Amino acid sequence: QADRAIMLSRDEITAQGKLAIDDSPDNLSHFTWDAFQRSIFAPDDYLRAIVDEYERSGIEGSFVPPRTVHQEDLGRLIEDWIEGEDRAPFAVFGGYGTGKSTFAQRLAAQLAEKSLRDPRARIPILVPLGELSEESRLEGLFGNLLTARYRVPGYHYEVFKRLNRAGRLVVICDGLDEMKHGMTPSVFQREVRRLFALQEDASRLILLGRRNALGSDQEFRAVIKGKSFGATGDEFDNPGQPNCIDVTIDKWNFSEAMVFIKGYLAFHGRRRGITDDKLAQRIKELTSPRFEELLERPVHAQMLCQIALVSTEPIGDIDEFGLYDRFITFLLERETEKMGRYAAFSVEARRKFNAAVSWWLLTKQSAIGTSIDNIPILICRSAVEGIAHDFDDEALRVELVAGCLVEKYNGHVYFGHRSIQEFLAAEHLFKTSYTTSGGSGAKGLLATVEFATPEVSKFLRHFFDKHPDGRKNALTICRLLSGFTGDMPLAIGPLAEAHRACGEGFRGSPWLYYAQIRGTDPDWSLAGFEHIIRDLGNRSTPREVWLLAAQAAATSEHTHARRNQIVANVLQVSDLAEYVQRAQSDPSRVDVVSADDHVTYCLVAAITMTDQTFQTERVQFDWNAFREAAYQLLGYGLVWEQRPSQFNLVPQQLYSLLGWSTGELDRVRPFFNSPAIVQALRPRAVAVERKRPFRDKSPEVNAGKPTLRLPGGVKG
C-alpha cells in the first residue's frame, strides 16, 4: 500500500534483479547509493553548462599545461591529490595573468565530462570568490551560483554539505585575492576559515589566487599553513585550521608561448576566415624574440594574438603598458561599431565609463562584478557629459553597460580579465588625480587610494612615466599630501608612485618621505628603508621627520630582517648612560625620560622586559610600543599593528653594531640587566603641545595649517 518504494544497493544488482524490478509496479525504483545521491542533487544540466562554456571559449585548442615553479605538471598533481588520501586543501598561487582561472575552468570542464560519463565520479563546483564579499554567508554564495545562475533543481545547502562530506564534490574556489580585496587581514583570515569549513571528511577543496593577496610571509603561514604566533613571534600549529598543500604556477618559457600562439591563431583565425598565408605571417611576427619577455604571461599572449587577428598593420615593438592600452582601445572600437550602439557616444566616452566602473567596483569590495542596477547613475552622466542625447537615466545606464568591457548574465556584469579592470582603474585614478572617492583634500585622497591593488599601482607608474600630463598630475597629488597632519593608511602604493614621478621636489615632506618605502619597486622601497635607518641615527633629523621614520620602521616589511640595526641607530649611549645614572641614584623618580627627548622616550617605551636567564643578558623589544610612543609624541601617524610585535635581542649584538668601547658598555649595562632601572625610566603618558606641522621648503608645496597635538596616549 506504499505510494512509492526506493530500493538502494551499494553496487549494481544482477540482470535478473533488474528484470524483477522492471516487472514490479511503477512505484518501485532502484538506485545504487552513488546514483541515489546524484539523483537528489541532479547536477547534469549544470555539468553540461560547464562543459559547453569551456568548449565555446576555445581554450582547448591552445591550452598549455601549467607548470609549478618546481617544474611539476599542475594538472597531474591535482589529479593525484583528488584520487589520493591527503585531505588537506590544495592552494594554487600565481601572479596576474599566469593562467590560474583558465586552468580552473579547464579542470572543472574535465571533471564535469568525467562525472557525466560516470555517476560515481566527483562533481566539480567552480566558485568565483570575487562575489563572496557581496554575500554574508557561504550559503548565499553557493545558492546564487547553483540556483540563480545554473538552476540546479535539487540544490539545498544542507544537501550540498552532506554530499561534500561524502566525497562526491570537488569545490574549486577561484580568486582568493579578489575575495580579500577591501578586507583587513583579520577579516580575510576569518573568511578563509569559513571556506576551510568545507574541508570535511572525504571532501576536496582547491583555492586559486595571487600570492600578493597574502602580503607578508607571516600572513601566508597563518592563512595557508595553519600557523599561529605567540607574543614573542614563536610559531605553532593552529588546531582549528588545516595546513594546505601549496604550489606556485611558473611563468611561461618562450617555447610554451609559441605553442599557445600557434594554437590560438590557428583556432580563432580559421573561425574568422583568415587565410593560412596570413596566419603564417602573423605567427612569424609574434614569435619574434622581441616579444619574449612580454609573452611570459598567458594573458599577454592572448591579448597579443587578439590584436594580431584584427590588425592589418605590423604590431611592431610594444611593451606591457602599450599592449593593454592598445587592446582596450581595440575592444572599445569594436563595441562602438556594433549595430544599435548610440554613435554619439565615442570611444573616449565609453572608455571613461569603463574606467570609472572599474575603479568603482574596487571601492565597493566586489572586485570584478555587480548588478547592472547598482552602477551609480552619476558615473553614467559623467562619462557622457557634454554629449547630446535623449536617454533617461535608466536607458543611459543600459546603453553604456551594453558597450562596456564586461561579461553579462541575468542582470549581473563582471570583468572577465582582472588585469584589464586594474589597468582601467589606474587610468581612472590618474585622470582624476586620485580625488574620486573620499571627498576633497588630503583626507579624500587617502580614502581613495586604500582600495588600489599592487597591480593598479604598477600600472599607475606607467601612466606617470608615459602620459604627457604625468608629472603635472603627480605634482597635484603631492601638493595635497605634503601638508597632511593625520593618520596614514597602509596601502599607499599609488601615493608612492606619484611621489616617485615628482622627482626630488618633495623629499622633505614627512609623508612623502614615508611614501618612499611603500612603492611597488622592491629595490626602490629597500633604498627608502635604508634611508630611514640612517635618519633614525642622525641627531640632526627634524623631530617630526624622526617620529614618522620611527613609525615607518616599526611597521615596514623590512623591519625584522634589520631590527638590530634599527635599535642600534636609536640607541644614544651618552643620553642613555645619563638616564641610567639618574635612575640608579633615585629609582623612585617619575618620568625620568622626558617626552622632549623623543629618541630615548621611544626606545625606553619599547623595552618590555629584561632577563638574565642562564647568565645571558636579554631584552624584549616591542615594535608596537615603539610605534605607539612615536605616535603619542607626534599626535598622528601610522596606526596599524605589526605582528609579531616583540622579539628578544642580546645586547652584545648591538654593541658590535655600534662599536661601543668597554667603558661605554659598562655605563649602560644596568639598563639591560636591571628591571628596576627599566621600570624607573618607563615613560608616563604626558600632554604635549604639537609643534607647527612640517612645511616643505619647496615653493610648489602648500602646507597645511598647524593643529593641536592630542594628550599623550590618546588617539584622535
Side-chain angles (χ1 to χ4, degrees), residues 122 413 499 684:
R122 290 177 182 261
V413 296
H499 174 232
R684 308 312 198 264

Side-chain angles (χ1 to χ4, degrees), residues 4 57 131 141 255 438 447 510 581 599 606 614 696-697 703:
R4 185 182 181 192
S57 71
E131 298 175 20
L141 176 65
S255 61
Q581 183 178 1
V599 177
F614 305 113
D696 196 300
K697 299 282 193 294

Side-chain angles (χ1 to χ4, degrees), residues 696-713:
D696 196 300
K697 299 282 193 294
S698 169
E700 295 175 313
V701 178
N702 179 20
K705 296 180 179 180
T707 57
L708 291 177
R709 171 165 297 162
L710 300 172

Side-chain angles (χ1 to χ4, degrees), residues 144 233 244 259 370 500:
N144 179 65
C244 296
V259 171
T370 187
R500 180 192 57 80

Side-chain angles (χ1 to χ4, degrees), residues 561-633:
R562 291 172 171 77
R563 58 194 184 187
N564 288 349
Q565 188 178 359
I566 295 171
V567 178
N569 282 1
V570 173
L571 276 168
Q572 304 291 338
V573 64
S574 58
D575 292 345
L576 186 58
E578 178 185 346
Y579 284 121
V580 168
Q581 183 178 1
R582 290 164 59 186
Q584 284 178 308
S585 64
D586 186 2
S588 64
R589 294 187 60 181
V590 178
D591 297 331
V592 174
V593 177
S594 167
D596 290 334
D597 186 357
H598 55 281
V599 177
T600 313
Y601 185 96
C602 292
L603 169 70
V604 178
I607 303 297
T608 61
M609 179 193 72
T610 61
D611 185 17
Q612 283 188 289
T613 305
F614 305 113
Q615 305 303 312
T616 301
E617 299 170 353
R618 294 187 308 161
V619 294
Q620 192 173 78
F621 195 86
D622 191 316
W623 287 121
N624 284 334
F626 184 61
R627 172 194 53 76
E628 190 65 31
Y631 185 98
Q632 178 190 34
L633 297 185

Side-chain angles (χ1 to χ4, degrees), residues 183-202:
M183 296 180 182
T184 64
S186 60
V187 171
F188 177 60
Q189 291 183 33
R190 182 193 70 202
E191 295 303 309
V192 174
R193 282 194 293 270
R194 290 171 55 202
L195 285 175
F196 285 151
L198 296 171
Q199 187 68 25
E200 300 180 275
D201 298 339

Side-chain angles (χ1 to χ4, degrees), residues 19 24 100 112 117-118 131 151 168 186 265 308 362 382 387 427 432 516 546 567 569 575 586 588 613 692 696 698 708:
L19 288 173
S24 68
K100 299 179 298 298
R117 293 193 305 268
D118 181 2
E131 298 175 20
R151 303 188 185 282
R168 302 309 314 279
S186 60
L265 290 180
L362 289 181
S382 176
I387 301 176
E427 182 174 326
T432 58
Q516 187 176 358
W546 194 97
V567 178
N569 282 1
D575 292 345
D586 186 2
S588 64
T613 305
R692 292 172 64 84
D696 196 300
S698 169
L708 291 177

